[in-house]
Amino acid sequence: RDRGYPPANTLFGSSLCSDEINDTAESLVGDFQNKLGTDGVFNLGGLGGLPFVGISGMGAFIHHVPKNGKIFIVFGPHVGISDKGVVGQIERVGQESISTSCGAGIGAYKAIMGKKGESEAETYLGTKDFQEEYIIAKLSDRLDPLKGQEQSNESITFLTNKMYDLVWEMMRSEINAYTTKDDFWKEVTEVTLLGGIVVNRGHGAGVPGGEDFYQPLMLKSLTKDGESDLYGEVFGDFPALAAPHRAAKYV
């Protein structure tokens, strides 16, 4: 609000995974809605948090901004940590067995690592499951350092960081298609991008809404004059993990 993001002047979008675990009453998006005072949120994200709405969906979102308004987008993948501390697993309400989180990311990881049976993998990759197929294709070379290793907390952490890269690359490409147009800044005064990783915790029985955490990796402001890194001002410099993401240029 101190930066001029009142409810009547702000368009809020999120690009998080479509998993319902990220859309509870106490979720990150819900918290931002409460703080910003906005009535709704435009959901840009599909599997893994990638903004699969594409350029058309991004255009529809941008055209909803109030005149001389501001846009705020939160984006990134998610990963569960179970009560036993296993990265990539999470308890879910009404289920006795442990579930994966993010299922799309871990499913892609297993396909790439060859952990599916040959015929099963063929069927899996041959469907019209374009979002998952895209994730598998884009992750394939990026997971080379994990090949030959057993799945572990470290390997799923590595995977999650690569998922973040995929989300950011697609997000940057889609927004760039509009912010590079001269008339864009006639209607919009600022775009704020908050990127990071949602960590799902405590979604089992008796814990409504879960106890999720969020690791911010990027906070950028875009205006007609260029981009500014706001991360240090808001979050400080403590997470070394954020350094390369803060350095990533928008254009």
Side-chain angles (χ1 to χ4, degrees), residues 5-251:
Y5 280 75
N9 199 42
T10 302
L11 180 65
F12 176 33
S14 78
S15 191
L16 303 176
C17 185
S18 46
D19 191 328
E20 82 284 349
I21 207 169
N22 298 314
D23 196 23
T24 68
E26 299 176 20
S27 68
L28 177 70
V29 170
D31 284 344
F32 274 122
Q33 277 189 268
N34 290 334
K35 286 181 171 59
L36 291 168
T38 56
D39 290 331
V41 55
F42 195 111
N43 295 308
L44 302 160
L47 292 183
L50 278 76
F52 279 116
V53 292
I55 294 215
S56 295
M58 184 62 71
F61 166 64
I62 286 170
H63 281 95
H64 296 170
V65 69
K67 186 172 178 58
N68 298 319
K70 300 194 176 190
I71 293 173
F72 174 65
I73 301 176
V74 58
F75 66 91
H78 70 124
V79 65
I81 300 180
S82 72
D83 287 345
K84 293 183 178 180
V86 179
V87 180
Q89 296 186 354
I90 193 69
E91 297 78 15
R92 293 180 187 264
V93 175
Q95 293 190 355
E96 294 181 1
S97 58
I98 292 291
S99 175
T100 56
S101 170
C102 169
I106 293 175
Y109 162 83
K110 289 183 176 179
I112 293 166
M113 296 297 115
K115 293 185 178 179
K116 288 179 173 289
E118 208 169 299
S119 61
E120 185 184 353
E122 220 171 279
T123 303
Y124 182 75
L125 293 171
T127 65
K128 296 190 183 297
D129 189 8
F130 75 92
Q131 291 192 16
E132 185 70 3
E133 288 177 359
Y134 179 92
I135 293 171
I136 291 169
K138 291 296 184 180
L139 278 179
S140 185
D141 292 341
R142 302 176 197 230
L143 298 188
D144 280 347
L146 301 181
K147 290 177 180 176
Q149 299 181 25
E150 290 296 317
Q151 181 174 327
S152 64
N153 284 351
E154 290 74 19
S155 64
I156 300 305
T157 300
F158 183 91
L159 162 70
T160 305
N161 278 283
K162 296 305 175 185
M163 287 291 292
Y164 173 86
D165 291 342
L166 294 188
V167 179
W168 164 238
E169 288 164 12
M170 186 180 279
M171 175 65 66
R172 177 177 57 188
S173 174
E174 291 177 8
I175 296 180
N176 194 48
Y178 292 95
T179 56
T180 52
K181 295 179 179 179
D182 292 338
D183 59 351
F184 176 83
W185 297 110
K186 293 178 181 177
E187 299 295 330
V188 180
T189 58
E190 185 178 32
V191 177
T192 297
L193 302 173
L194 173 60
I197 296 170
V198 177
V199 181
N200 304 127
R201 295 297 310 272
H203 283 263
V207 189
E211 300 173 338
D212 293 346
F213 294 90
Y214 185 68
Q215 173 58 68
L217 296 176
M218 174 190 294
L219 181 60
K220 288 185 181 294
S221 163
L222 310 177
T223 68
K224 62 181 176 59
D225 298 320
E227 68 178 77
S228 304
D229 177 14
L230 304 177
Y231 192 99
E233 178 185 334
V234 176
F235 301 114
D237 293 322
F238 68 92
L241 182 66
H245 304 294
R246 290 181 60 188
K249 292 299 180 185
Y250 166 68
V251 178

